[in-house]
Amino acid sequence: MSDQPRDDSEDEFRDMLRAFLSGNSEIDPSKLASAAGLPSDPAAVQQLMAQLQNAMQASADGVNWDAARTQAEQIAGTASLAVTDQTRAALDQALHVATLWLDEVTSLSDSAVAPRLLTRAEWATATIPVWTQLAEPVAVSISDALTSVLRDQAPEEMAGMIAGASQMMRNLGGTLFAMQLGQIVGQLSKEVVSGGDVGIPLLEEGQAALVPQNIAEFGDGLDIPVEEVQLYLAIRELAHARLFRHARWLRLHVISSITEFAKGITIDTERLEELASGFDPSNPEELRDAMASGALIPPKTEQQLHALARLETTLALIEGWVDVVTAQASSRLPRWNAIAETVRRRRATGGPAESAFGSLIGLELRPRRLRDAAALWQQVTDAVGQEKRDALWSHPDLVPTSADLDEPGALVARLLAPAPEPDEMDQALEDLLRSEESKGTDSSSDSSPSSSDSSPSSDDEDQPPAV
């Protein structure tokens, strides 16, 4: 009996949504597709309606990330070109030469996992798990906030209906968010040239990957031989992969730092309430614009700003190290500097899809202090060499800090300083350990039988064995 009102409310709400999804409502489905960041063509509208119907019928409570993967793969698959044998042979050769040149300028070993050549669709499929992991905290916050606001803003006669279908509302909100993320990842697949192009480790096990179709478009208009462009980008990608393979703690550190930052994001419910109270069914794009612009995410707290500064420092140090190592390894290329400058400008601005992702989760992935980090790594290389430079990545406590970016000379001075003399306590401990080790050695030699002792005498041979 107690469950009956809730069940009736949920059924009533489901019937209302079903009427909407069948087109019998005030909201134009094509405009809702636009609000989700999708094209307004019939195929996109049909896909959106199907995903929302699945969300409505889902028993699980949460974000349906399959919608993001499907959307990303569909967009990436549009005009996605297969890798030809000729292109594969050229890039395999570039990767081989890049490996040899990197061996000369870094002590970090090559990855045991072979590099991959990916189509746009394959890149989207391979990287969508990390994108959804980064975005999930914000997606959950938006879904919960949307449900809460709709419940508070609903007319009294609909309050029971909304309250009885809160899980369904979260699923619908999560699906809309997931499809918007899928749209962004699908667009990113048309912009990136490699696995590490956006600065974060998107592939497992420090694997390198190139996107040949996008590399070809990157080289258009540079007036540089395509072989040089391919080789430079291969060096850069392999350097990125070597770093993450060597510093195995680094990938988890970067991803966990981003997700922890995202978990601290709260949704501006007042702004969401304004949207809900003044929502125009004929203009659902208003909600999309609010989500895509980051208007629902309030200004960062002081704690978040500190966390963001640490994350930006880490990303800058990664990119700065890659820049320095790539510059050293590619110095044989006649136009390497022109390619490097193009990459730097591209990294500084980012593409439209990456900017959209930053607005969606409230976090830009472009490090602002990239040039400072590159200058620091160059000074360290000049002062102590590549082996000691690369050793700084062996443990999180050794990696340079933001203060080192401000004063790289101080870091260089510390690296050049002789090892400190042990204090009295350290010296006493060392003497004690040596003494114990010496006693152990003496005791071992005293207890070992000599060759004469170990040889049985004639008398011993006549004696019966001891019992």
Side-chain angles (χ1 to χ4, degrees), residues 58 60 83 128 141 147 174 185 209 254 275 281 293 347 369 387 409-410 417 431:
V83 183
I128 193 67
S141 294
T147 303
V185 175
V254 171
L275 287 173
S293 66
R347 287 286 295 124
R369 305 196 64 182
E387 188 170 346
D431 292 342

Side-chain angles (χ1 to χ4, degrees), residues 318-374:
I318 292 170
E319 291 298 303
W321 183 90
V322 170
D323 275 1
V324 169
V325 171
T326 302
Q328 292 178 315
S330 61
S331 59
R332 295 183 179 92
L333 296 175
R335 301 290 303 278
W336 75 268
N337 207 16
I339 307 174
E341 185 56 33
T342 302
V343 170
R344 279 192 291 268
R345 288 199 303 267
R346 190 168 170 269
R347 287 286 295 124
T349 58
E354 191 171 344
S355 298
F357 176 78
S359 298
L360 193 65
I361 70 166
L363 173 67
E364 292 288 346
L365 297 177
R366 296 293 177 186
R368 293 178 295 176
R369 305 196 64 182
L370 175 55
R371 290 184 183 271
D372 292 339

Side-chain angles (χ1 to χ4, degrees), residues 424-444:
E424 293 182 4
M425 182 174 293
D426 290 337
Q427 187 63 53
L429 179 59
E430 184 177 352
D431 292 342
L432 177 61
L433 292 174
R434 286 180 178 176
S435 174
E436 292 296 328
E437 183 180 353
S438 176
K439 288 180 181 179
T441 303
D442 293 343
S443 174
S444 175

Side-chain angles (χ1 to χ4, degrees), residues 36 87-88 125 138 160 205 225 267 279 320 353 417-418 424 436 449 466:
T87 300
R88 184 176 298 277
T125 301
V138 180
E205 298 297 330
I267 305 305
F279 182 69
E424 293 182 4
E436 292 296 328

Side-chain angles (χ1 to χ4, degrees), residues 235-267:
I235 292 171
R236 183 174 180 83
E237 175 64 7
L238 289 180
H240 192 272
R242 286 193 185 203
L243 176 58
F244 278 93
R245 180 180 182 273
H246 169 76
R248 295 192 177 274
W249 58 270
L250 187 57
R251 184 176 191 272
L252 178 61
H253 173 73
V254 171
I255 292 178
S256 62
S257 295
I258 295 175
T259 53
E260 285 300 319
F261 174 87
K263 286 178 182 177
I265 292 176
T266 58
I267 305 305

Side-chain angles (χ1 to χ4, degrees), residues 146-410:
L146 181 62
T147 303
S148 175
V149 167
L150 289 179
R151 182 177 61 245
D152 295 341
Q153 291 289 325
E156 186 175 350
E157 62 272 16
M158 294 184 62
M161 183 189 308
I162 297 293
S166 59
Q167 175 181 321
M168 193 186 310
M169 286 299 298
R170 282 196 297 272
N171 290 347
L172 288 170
T175 297
L176 285 172
F177 185 95
M179 294 190 74
Q180 195 165 13
L181 177 65
Q183 170 81 7
I184 291 171
V185 175
Q187 293 298 333
L188 267 173
S189 72
K190 303 176 182 180
E191 300 175 9
V192 298
V193 297
S194 63
D197 195 19
V198 295
I200 58 177
L202 296 172
L203 301 175
E204 297 282 355
E205 298 297 330
Q207 185 173 36
L210 298 175
V211 185
Q213 182 178 357
N214 296 346
I215 290 177
E217 293 184 3
F218 173 90
D220 289 344
L222 291 182
D223 194 26
I224 298 174
V226 63
E227 296 81 8
E228 289 191 37
V229 175
Q230 290 175 339
L231 183 49
Y232 181 90
L233 295 178
I235 292 171
R236 183 174 180 83
E237 175 64 7
L238 289 180
H240 192 272
R242 286 193 185 203
L243 176 58
F244 278 93
R245 180 180 182 273
H246 169 76
R248 295 192 177 274
W249 58 270
L250 187 57
R251 184 176 191 272
L252 178 61
H253 173 73
V254 171
I255 292 178
S256 62
S257 295
I258 295 175
T259 53
E260 285 300 319
F261 174 87
K263 286 178 182 177
I265 292 176
T266 58
I267 305 305
D268 188 348
T269 53
E270 291 185 3
R271 171 65 177 139
L272 198 54
E273 287 175 359
E274 291 176 5
L275 287 173
S277 61
F279 182 69
D280 181 2
S282 65
N283 185 29
E285 291 93 341
E286 184 180 5
L287 178 60
R288 190 276 309 271
D289 292 341
M291 292 174 61
S293 66
L296 298 180
I297 299 176
K300 299 175 181 63
T301 64
E302 184 175 349
Q303 184 177 2
Q304 281 185 306
L305 290 174
H306 286 307
L308 180 59
R310 291 193 298 271
L311 177 60
E312 286 184 339
T313 297
T314 300
L315 294 176
L317 288 168
I318 292 170
E319 291 298 303
W321 183 90
V322 170
D323 275 1
V324 169
V325 171
T326 302
Q328 292 178 315
S330 61
S331 59
R332 295 183 179 92
L333 296 175
R335 301 290 303 278
W336 75 268
N337 207 16
I339 307 174
E341 185 56 33
T342 302
V343 170
R344 279 192 291 268
R345 288 199 303 267
R346 190 168 170 269
R347 287 286 295 124
T349 58
E354 191 171 344
S355 298
F357 176 78
S359 298
L360 193 65
I361 70 166
L363 173 67
E364 292 288 346
L365 297 177
R366 296 293 177 186
R368 293 178 295 176
R369 305 196 64 182
L370 175 55
R371 290 184 183 271
D372 292 339
L376 177 143
W377 288 119
Q378 187 60 59
Q379 289 189 44
V380 171
T381 305
D382 295 340
V384 300
Q386 64 188 43
E387 188 170 346
K388 288 187 177 181
R389 174 200 66 197
D390 296 344
L392 294 176
W393 289 106
S394 60
H395 192 275
D397 292 343
L398 300 178
V399 175
T401 64
S402 59
D404 294 324
L405 291 179
D406 295 332
E407 297 184 30

